[in-house]
């Protein structure tokens, strides 16, 4: 990259942990840093060593996804100059992310020698975008003094995010949507005309219309739990290998999820919880799947409330089987596999009957 042409003053490697909201925002973050001339490295996929290290470093009370995040950050200490650990408060108006996300930079600094190396903008879109924009400028100023270059990098990163979201709704899992959205990083996305949006719209017919001969399972859960193969014990690929069609909350258009979430008597101001509930209500009311699987994190307060609301709705709606699986670092794989297989058998029997 021509550093001068991009108004870039300082070259460095930025590490992005493959955990938590990586599954929703990595293409945006990576584009922003790359456009500012940084080299971006992502931590490797979660494995036992990484989780064990996270468990050692994090406080006992933390949920498994936070412990996984600690392991990913620690693994980047040797390979990156700076590590991106945003203080995530809110990603939309009038709603918030789990409080654990707000304290991430502080918890990381207390647990490992990362002080002075974290890039930790406060992302809070709950009220307006002005302060968020200042945080973008502050973050970009780590790399360059050019406000124009920072602004351009941010605008490009937003286009890539739009492309990524369309790819998810088009039926892609995050890892392939990430690769596709970042392909042609040297400018292809500047002219993004929404072609994946058209694929997404076509795909919705299959997703929203209801089961055919294939067994469809609606997957409910936090992205960092359901898409992390190690943490989720590969439940999604096991279902696919068994011939199931897997439909996650993220394959549903925002409008569908939001409309269903409005059936709640009160506005649920937790973004992730509202998304899971909206998707669950859609699956249960439209009967567009043969069964629902809710994957939760042990000790997650949000999951216990959302889980209860989903169970009540499943009983009320009556016809769609629901199973919950709670995971933490002590969960035995054999038990999970047996339950998933039994659930699949039950769905198959119901379908053939
Ligand atoms: S929402 Fe639940 S699983 Fe996610 S970080 Fe918070 S406590 Fe952990």
């Amino acid at each position: 990259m021509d550093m001068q042409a991009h108004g870039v003053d300082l070259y460095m490697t930025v590490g992005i942990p493959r955990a938590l909201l990586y599954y929703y925002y990595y293409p945006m973050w990576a584009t922003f840093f790359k456009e500012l001339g940084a080299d971006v490295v992502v931590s490797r996929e979660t494995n036992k060593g990484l989780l064990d290290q996270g468990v050692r470093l994090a406080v006992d009370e933390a949920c498994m996804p936070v412990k996984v995040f600690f392991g990913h950050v620690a693994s980047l200490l040797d390979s990156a100059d700076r590590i991106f650990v945003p203080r995530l408060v809110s990603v939309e108006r009038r709603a918030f992310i789990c409080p654990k996300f707000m304290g991430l930079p502080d918890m990381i600094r207390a647990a490992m020698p990362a002080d002075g190396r974290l890039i930790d903008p406060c992302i809070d879109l709950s009220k307006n975008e002005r302060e968020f924009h200042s945080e973008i400028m502050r973050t970009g100023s780590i790399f360059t003094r050019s406000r124009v270059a920072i602004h351009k990098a941010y605008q490009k990163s937003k286009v890539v995010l739009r492309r990524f979201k369309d790819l998810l709704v088009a039926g892609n899992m995050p890892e392939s949507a990430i690769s596709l959205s970042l392909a042609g990083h040297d400018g292809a996305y500047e002219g993004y005309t929404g072609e994946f949006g058209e694929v997404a719209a076509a795909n919705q017919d299959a997703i929203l219309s209801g089961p055919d001969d294939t067994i469809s399972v609606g997957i409910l859960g936090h992205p960092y739990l359901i898409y992390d193969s190690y943490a989720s014990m590969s439940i999604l690929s096991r279902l696919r290998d068994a011939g199931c069609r897997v439909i996650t909350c993220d394959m549903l258009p925002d409008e569908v999820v939001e409309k269903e979430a409005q059936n709640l008597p009160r506005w649920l101001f937790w973004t992730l919880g509202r998304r899971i509930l909206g998707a669950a209500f859609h699956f249960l009311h439209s009967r567009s799947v043969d069964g629902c699987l809710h994957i939760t994190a042990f000790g997650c307060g949000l999951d216990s409330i959302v889980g209860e609301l989903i169970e009540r709705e499943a009983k009320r709606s009556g016809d769609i089987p629901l199973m919950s699986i709670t995971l933490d670092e002590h969960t035995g794989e054999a038990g999970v596999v047996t339950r998933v297989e039994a659930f699949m058998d039950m769905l198959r029997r119901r379908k053939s009957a």
Side-chain angles (χ1 to χ4, degrees):
M1 164 179 269
D2 180 349
M3 307 279 275
Q4 292 296 322
H6 283 72
V8 172
D9 306 327
L10 184 59
Y11 175 80
M12 63 177 79
T13 304
V14 175
I16 299 185
R18 194 189 291 262
L20 297 182
L21 292 197
Y22 157 89
Y23 295 96
Y24 279 173
Y25 293 105
Y26 173 75
M28 181 182 198
W29 296 337
T31 303
F32 181 70
F33 292 123
K34 282 180 187 171
E35 282 298 314
L36 292 176
D39 207 6
V40 172
V41 289
V42 189
S43 49
R44 60 185 180 273
E45 287 183 9
T46 308
N47 56 29
K48 183 173 184 323
L50 213 140
L51 174 59
D52 286 348
Q53 191 168 18
V55 169
R56 276 194 298 277
L57 291 167
V59 290
D60 291 343
E61 297 75 29
C63 58
M64 179 173 63
V66 167
K67 290 173 179 163
V68 168
F69 185 80
F70 272 60
H72 280 273
V73 174
S75 75
L76 287 166
L77 286 173
D78 292 335
S79 54
D81 302 312
R82 304 288 295 264
I83 304 172
F84 185 59
V85 182
R87 189 182 299 284
L88 279 155
V89 179
S90 157
V91 292
E92 60 177 342
R93 297 289 297 270
R94 295 173 53 227
F96 299 89
I97 299 286
C98 162
K100 295 211 169 82
F101 284 73
M102 301 179 197
L104 280 177
D106 307 312
M107 291 194 287
I108 292 291
R109 283 193 185 94
M112 59 189 91
D115 208 12
R117 293 178 59 193
L118 298 190
I119 298 177
D120 61 346
C122 178
I123 297 177
D124 182 1
L125 288 162
S126 60
K127 295 189 185 77
N128 60 56
E129 284 202 26
R130 204 173 331 124
E131 281 173 30
F132 173 62
H133 207 254
S134 317
E135 287 294 290
I136 295 284
M137 286 296 162
R138 185 175 71 80
T139 305
S141 68
I142 296 170
F143 305 87
T144 178
R145 287 184 294 270
S146 166
R147 292 179 68 82
V148 174
I150 301 170
H151 180 72
K152 274 190 185 165
Y154 175 53
Q155 292 306 324
K156 285 190 178 180
S157 69
K158 284 207 296 190
V159 177
V160 173
L161 183 65
R162 198 182 120 219
R163 182 170 153 138
F164 171 70
K165 284 189 170 173
D166 280 353
L167 281 157
L168 288 179
V169 181
N172 293 282
M173 288 287 160
E175 289 296 353
S176 53
I178 284 171
S179 313
L180 287 166
S181 64
L182 290 174
H185 173 74
D186 290 333
Y189 53 75
E190 286 186 59
Y192 177 52
T193 54
E195 67 270 23
F196 293 113
E198 286 161 26
V199 179
N203 189 50
Q204 290 312 303
D205 288 343
I207 286 182
L208 300 177
S209 62
D212 47 22
D213 289 346
T214 314
I215 292 181
S216 298
V217 181
I219 303 292
L220 307 164
H222 301 291
Y224 38 84
L225 203 50
I226 63 177
Y227 299 126
D228 184 320
S229 297
Y230 186 81
S232 67
M233 300 179 181
S234 306
I235 290 178
L236 298 200
S237 35
R238 285 178 204 283
L239 289 170
R240 285 179 147 183
D241 292 348
C244 275
R245 178 188 296 131
V246 167
I247 303 175
T248 68
C249 336
D250 305 307
M251 292 176 188
L252 301 175
D254 285 348
E255 313 83 71
V256 171
V257 172
E258 277 303 323
K259 192 167 163 239
E260 289 287 352
Q262 279 165 16
N263 286 327
L264 285 164
R266 297 177 68 175
W267 166 254
L268 187 69
F269 52 80
W270 301 113
T271 296
L272 298 178
R274 204 173 68 257
R275 186 152 189 83
I276 295 169
L277 261 177
F281 287 1
H282 163 73
F283 291 140
L284 296 172
H285 297 159
S286 67
R287 304 201 158 113
S288 55
V289 292
D290 296 290
C292 283
L293 185 54
H294 186 198
I295 304 174
T296 68
F298 179 76
C300 171
L302 185 62
D303 275 348
S304 45
I305 296 168
V306 167
E308 179 66 30
L309 291 169
I310 294 175
E311 271 179 36
R312 285 186 197 180
E313 193 59 31
K315 276 187 198 138
R316 244 197 309 266
S317 327
D319 207 30
I320 304 290
L322 166 75
M323 182 169 82
S324 293
I325 291 186
T326 302
L327 300 171
D328 74 359
E329 62 273 27
H330 306 296
T331 307
E333 188 166 353
V336 169
V337 173
T338 307
R339 291 190 63 204
V340 171
E341 285 174 356
F343 187 62
M344 285 287 305
D345 285 346
M346 186 265 289
L347 296 184
R348 266 193 213 103
R349 274 200 308 276
R350 278 173 59 97
K351 189 129 188 146
S352 56

